[in-house]
Structure formats: structure tokens, C-alpha cells
Amino acid sequence: MKKTLVFGLDGATFTLLKPLMDLNIMPYLKSYENDGVTSVLKATFPPITVPGWLCISSGMDPGSIGIFDFYDYAPPPALGKPSIKNINNKMIWDYFSRWGYKSAVINFPYYLPFKLKGVFVGGMLVSKDRYTYPNNFREDISRNIGNYMLDLDLDKLGIKEHVDKAILSVQQKVKLAKYIIDKDHPSFLFVIFTETDRLQHRLWQYMDKSYPKKEDIGNPEDIYPFWKILDESMKEIEKSFFGNDYGNTFIVSDHGSGPIYKTFYINEWLLQNGYIKLKIKENKSSKIKQYIHKVARNSNLINKIFTQAKGGRLFRSLESLAQKTNFETNFADVQENIDWKETIAYDFPIKGGIYLNRLAKFYSNDKQKDNIIKELRKKLESVKGVSLKTYTPQEVYKGKNIDTCPDIFVVGDNFSTEIIMPFTFGNYILEYPRYKTVTGSHRMEGIFFSKGVDINKGIKNVDISMVDITPTILKMNNIPFSNLDGKICKEIIKN
């Protein structure tokens, strides 16, 4: 049995990695250019963590799994629910288990640990009380790793603190991986590093030299220590895993990443265009609030002040004041005042995912639904100030398990305009990121590296998608499979 090692770099992108490789800050990654395959990896749509890793690990697209985001549809006025589906016995480690081979999975982002022949350690979303399989493996982690970080909280930290905490988290995973390798001797090892995604969300403006600089000027060099440690850590795990054995290594991401330049408040647009209807309450307090709300909505004063003050101290003061005085209102705080009998469409709980109101009378009429979808798509793609593209599930998915999928997906400026769900006063377009501390977001272009005994050398830019990873690995290990959405990437395989 040939061993298989998979590294997951959450949100990794060649936009940042290629310069680091060329500067020899990441020589381990650089070695793949001559010794293996490097290519863009096409993400699942939309490029979101949970469906991304599930599709990589199953060979099925979101339409087959029935998971499109962190949260799933629930009938209004419910606020959605965690995306938990029965996908046991369909993951890549299940194939290895059925053939008697042990697997180890570290830091996989899902709400529940998966059962397998070996060890599973969850990541973000999982409960601290139940994040491993077998469940008592938590005790091994406590004894040998200490206070293990399931996710990386970088809120309100400076650049150096961000980097130091991310490095510590990576080092914990290295220690855990080597412990499992020595103890359990898995044939299939899958280690996901979430740290890359967290840093890119928070520090994109410092990592990307082309990004317009903000008030706290930083440099890509400030983050170099993290990338160097990450590169060395992958090499260390690979050496420990293979020893004197042979096999194949893969490095993949669940999506790519890029800058945020603008913000589009999609529910505010739906409200102003008559697709969301609010109730009118009769008590005096709510009437006053509604009057103020209405005046603010119909006045450009606030937006003019913000636009003219942008970039200066006044702007930053107003930005802080706006957050404190609720110029932005979360969908969850408004939904109880939504008139669900009259509302036509809304975006929740998947940002950029519009649902037609399934409680409305028109919903039982397919022709009316189709006309509303066509109308919405035409209007959204005509919005001035931002370039919006719309898609239906049938246009982006192979699978038929789309009952809980949004009726329309909306993408702004190839994901550089962030689509968000809160309501706001006045303009539904901000000419800047919603938060000055979050300047990076997701893209469709992920990363793919591979090398090993079955891998061709010096190959670049193959046609490979996330759903192709599982069938390609299974083929290399002569493990039979059927009915997967992905294909075998024959270009990378020797002979």
C-alpha cells in the first residue's frame, strides 16, 4: 500500500504563495515546480470553507451533498440551521477504511467528528466536548499537546500577535500529526491548516503590495515568519509520515483568496426595490423608530458625509459612530418585523444567496417563480456602481440535491465586492470594505501541488477541480469507486 499525504491550506492562493516561493521563503513548496505538479485548483461554487473541504474529500459537488454554506435553509421566520447532512460512508477515508487501511484526519472543519478506521480531529465549528473520533482521543491530545486550539481567534490583535498566534497553532498541528503517526501508523493522513485563511482575511492589506494602504501601514515582510514556519512544518510532517516508505503528497486549498474593495448590502437593495416588506407596528416607540429609519433611508446626507470624509479622521470617527448607533442592522434583528405574507425574496442565511419566499402564494406557481427569478437577475445585473453577476443552482451544480439551495446566487465584481446580509441606512453600496480589519475574502481559484512515486514532474496548469481530488487519489491507490462527480486527473499520473 502506497501512503498518501494531503495538506490543506485553507484559502491559499498563488497570488501570495508564488512570490514567497520565488523569494525562497517557502522552498518546500518551491520544490514542487520541478519535482511534481503545480496548478490552480477550481473551487466549488460559491467558494466557501465547509462545502469546499467536503467536496475535496468526497469527490461530489455541493449539489450532490446538499451543503452550500456553513448554514442551511430553514422556513421563515427561522434563521437557518447548521449544514449537517448524512454524508458518512462517502468520504475518502471511508474508502481507505473499507479496504482495511488506517486514516488520520486533523483539523477538518465540520460540526461533528467523522467515524473512520483511525483518528479524526475536528476543527472550526465542532464542539469542544466532542471533537475527536474516537471520543476519548481528546484525552491523548490534552496529555500530549496541551490546550489545543480548534480554531484561530485573531480579533483585536496586532500584526505581530496575529503571526505569533498563527505560528503556535501550526506548531500544535505538527506535534499532533507526529504523535498520531508514531502511535497509529496511518496509511492516509490529511492535515488542514486554517491559519492561512485567518491571516488572509485579517491582513490582506499588508500581504498584498498592490492593495491600497490604510492607516496602519504594514508590509508583507511582517508576515514572512509565518509562511516560513508553515513551509518547514509541512516538510517535517512529510518526513515523519513517509520515513523509508514511498507514496504521494498533495497540497490543496478549499478556495482561493483576494482583496475586498467594496461592500454590497443585498437585503437593503431588496428592501428598497420592494422585494422585502416590513410590518408596520402601532406602538408609539416603533412608529418613531420607523420615522427616523424612513428619513435616514430617503436622505443622502449620511452617505455624502461619509464619502467626503473618507480617508480622514472624521471618516474614522463617523465609521465608529455608525457602528455604535446601529446604522447597520443585522438580518436577525429585523426578521421578526418582516411581513412574510408580502415579502417576495430575501438573502439569509447564505450571503449572496437569494431565496424566494416559500411562504408566499406565488411560490406554488412555477411560471411566476421563473418570472420573478428572471426579473431579479435582470435588475441585479443592472445595478450601477458595482458589477453583479447572478447564477441559478442548475447553472453551477451537477447534483440534484438542491432543495435547500438559494434560488439565485449573486457575485460582486468577481468576489472583490463583498455581498453581506445586514440592512443599512441610505446607500446599499459602500466604496470600501465593511471592516477596515477584514480586507481579504474568497475566490474561485485555489491551489494544487502534488509529487510522489505516481506523479509526473514539471507539470503546470492542469485541468483540475476540487471534486477531482478524491477520484484521483483513489485511482492511484487502486481503490475502486463509482458515481462520483469528479474525474480522474490523468495528466498528473505517471504512465
Side-chain angles (χ1 to χ4, degrees):
M1 172 64 188
K2 289 169 289 191
K3 288 185 173 182
T4 301
L5 172 61
V6 181
F7 290 118
L9 304 186
D10 200 308
T13 171
F14 281 108
T15 301
L16 299 181
L17 294 183
K18 188 64 170 71
L20 295 166
M21 292 158 59
D22 292 342
L23 289 170
N24 208 37
I25 292 167
M26 303 189 81
Y28 173 71
L29 274 190
K30 179 73 174 175
S31 69
Y32 282 76
E33 291 187 331
N34 293 322
D35 298 340
V37 179
T38 58
S39 179
V40 168
L41 182 64
K42 298 173 189 174
T44 53
F45 185 92
I48 300 292
T49 292
V50 170
W53 289 123
L54 291 174
C55 293
I56 285 172
S57 305
S58 69
M60 296 185 290
D61 86 347
S64 295
I65 297 172
I67 291 179
F68 312 97
D69 195 84
F70 294 94
Y71 291 93
D72 201 357
Y73 170 83
L79 298 177
K81 57 186 178 182
S83 291
I84 299 175
K85 299 288 174 71
N86 182 16
I87 48 180
N88 286 315
N89 303 316
K90 298 177 181 178
M91 311 301 284
I92 187 169
W93 47 82
D94 295 317
Y95 290 92
F96 282 94
S97 294
R98 284 196 287 272
W99 282 79
Y101 302 118
K102 285 186 177 181
S103 297
V105 180
I106 297 173
N107 196 42
F108 195 89
Y110 196 56
Y111 295 95
L112 299 169
F114 285 85
K115 296 179 180 180
L116 74 174
K117 183 179 175 66
V119 176
F120 185 97
V121 181
M124 62 178 289
L125 304 177
V126 75
S127 167
K128 290 183 179 180
D129 298 326
R130 190 187 171 198
Y131 70 92
T132 66
Y133 179 85
N135 191 42
N136 61 7
F137 189 71
R138 289 183 303 149
E139 299 168 9
D140 289 55
I141 294 177
S142 297
R143 284 194 302 268
N144 294 278
I145 309 301
N147 187 21
Y148 182 71
M149 287 185 276
L150 289 173
D151 198 4
L152 198 60
D153 181 10
L154 297 178
D155 193 30
K156 298 180 181 179
L157 295 178
I159 293 179
K160 187 178 185 306
E161 290 83 4
H162 276 81
V163 171
D164 289 346
K165 193 169 184 180
I167 288 173
L168 176 61
S169 182
V170 167
Q171 290 170 335
Q172 282 190 339
K173 291 178 181 65
V174 174
K175 190 174 181 181
L176 178 57
K178 292 174 73 173
Y179 172 76
I180 292 173
I181 290 167
D182 292 340
K183 179 179 181 292
D184 224 42
H185 308 292
S187 297
F188 174 75
L189 175 62
F190 190 2
V191 184
I192 296 176
F193 294 98
T194 318
E195 297 80 8
T196 44
D197 179 79
R198 299 299 179 269
L199 289 178
Q200 287 167 174
H201 276 297
R202 291 282 175 179
L203 303 179
W204 187 273
Q205 59 187 326
Y206 307 117
M207 294 179 173
D208 182 356
K209 289 184 178 181
S210 68
Y211 193 87
K213 294 300 180 185
K214 302 299 178 185
E215 55 182 312
D216 299 316
I217 299 300
N219 298 295
E221 292 83 356
D222 299 332
I223 300 99
Y224 283 177
F226 165 77
W227 296 115
K228 187 174 186 295
I229 291 294
L230 177 64
D231 191 72
E232 293 170 350
S233 297
M234 289 189 288
K235 184 177 181 180
E236 184 178 351
I237 291 173
E238 183 184 65
K239 182 179 179 180
S240 178
F241 178 65
F242 286 112
N244 296 322
D245 296 325
Y246 61 94
N248 302 293
T249 302
F250 299 82
I251 304 175
V252 297
S253 64
D254 55 331
H255 53 76
S257 293
I260 301 172
Y261 293 121
K262 294 182 180 181
T263 307
F264 182 72
Y265 288 85
I266 191 165
N267 279 315
E268 181 65 31
W269 183 89
L270 290 167
L271 178 66
Q272 291 190 25
N273 283 271
Y275 293 100
I276 292 177
K277 301 289 186 181
L278 299 179
K279 298 174 186 176
I280 299 176
K281 292 188 175 181
E282 296 303 323
N283 67 74
K284 185 175 181 181
S285 174
S286 65
K287 277 190 172 182
I288 293 171
K289 287 180 181 178
Q290 286 177 23
Y291 177 75
I292 294 171
H293 198 82
K294 185 176 181 181
V295 170
R297 285 188 186 286
N298 290 299
S299 171
N300 289 320
L301 177 61
I302 292 172
N303 292 297
K304 284 181 180 178
I305 293 173
F306 269 77
T307 301
Q308 292 172 5
K310 185 181 177 185
R313 288 184 179 179
L314 177 59
F315 171 75
R316 293 192 293 274
S317 298
L318 287 169
E319 184 180 44
S320 175
L321 176 64
Q323 292 174 352
K324 290 177 181 177
T325 53
N326 291 325
F327 285 151
E328 179 183 289
T329 308
N330 289 329
F331 186 90
D333 296 326
V334 175
Q335 65 92 24
E336 65 179 13
N337 288 320
I338 292 176
D339 186 339
W340 291 108
K341 291 182 179 179
E342 299 297 328
T343 288
I344 298 170
Y346 61 98
D347 185 325
F348 199 86
I350 300 173
K351 64 180 184 178
I354 294 177
Y355 286 93
L356 299 187
N357 181 13
R358 302 185 184 190
L359 299 183
K361 291 181 180 179
F362 73 82
Y363 196 80
S364 59
N365 186 316
D366 289 341
K367 187 174 181 179
Q368 274 191 281
K369 284 195 298 184
D370 289 343
N371 288 337
I372 291 170
I373 288 172
K374 288 176 183 177
E375 177 185 284
L376 270 167
R377 295 183 72 177
K378 184 177 180 180
K379 286 186 177 181
L380 282 162
E381 293 186 359
S382 301
V383 172
K384 294 181 179 180
V386 61
S387 177
L388 300 177
K389 299 294 183 185
T390 62
Y391 305 88
T392 62
Q394 294 79 9
E395 292 171 350
V396 292
Y397 298 133
K398 293 181 180 179
K400 305 299 182 183
N401 190 12
I402 55 175
D403 292 345
T404 61
C405 184
D407 296 286
I408 303 172
F409 287 103
V410 185
V411 176
D413 294 298
N414 193 28
F415 297 98
S416 66
T417 289
E418 186 178 20
I419 310 290
I420 62 173
M421 295 178 287
F423 296 87
T424 186
F425 290 134
N427 200 351
Y428 40 75
I429 299 174
L430 294 182
E431 297 293 333
Y432 44 87
R434 181 188 185 193
Y435 298 119
K436 63 183 178 182
T437 55
V438 181
T439 50
S441 189
H442 299 178
R443 296 292 189 276
M444 290 293 293
E445 301 79 24
I447 61 158
F448 177 79
F449 296 79
S450 64
K451 67 177 179 180
V453 294
D454 295 311
I455 308 293
N456 285 317
K457 294 185 178 182
I459 304 295
K460 293 180 174 63
N461 300 322
V462 298
D463 178 20
I464 188 165
S465 300
M466 292 183 181
V467 293
D468 301 333
I469 301 301
T470 285
T472 300
I473 290 175
L474 293 177
K475 174 64 176 176
M476 288 182 181
N477 288 280
N478 297 315
I479 296 177
F481 61 90
S482 61
N483 300 320
L484 299 186
D485 294 324
K487 68 181 186 306
I488 299 166
C489 186
K490 296 179 180 179
E491 295 174 74
I492 74 170
I493 303 175
K494 288 180 180 178
N495 303 319

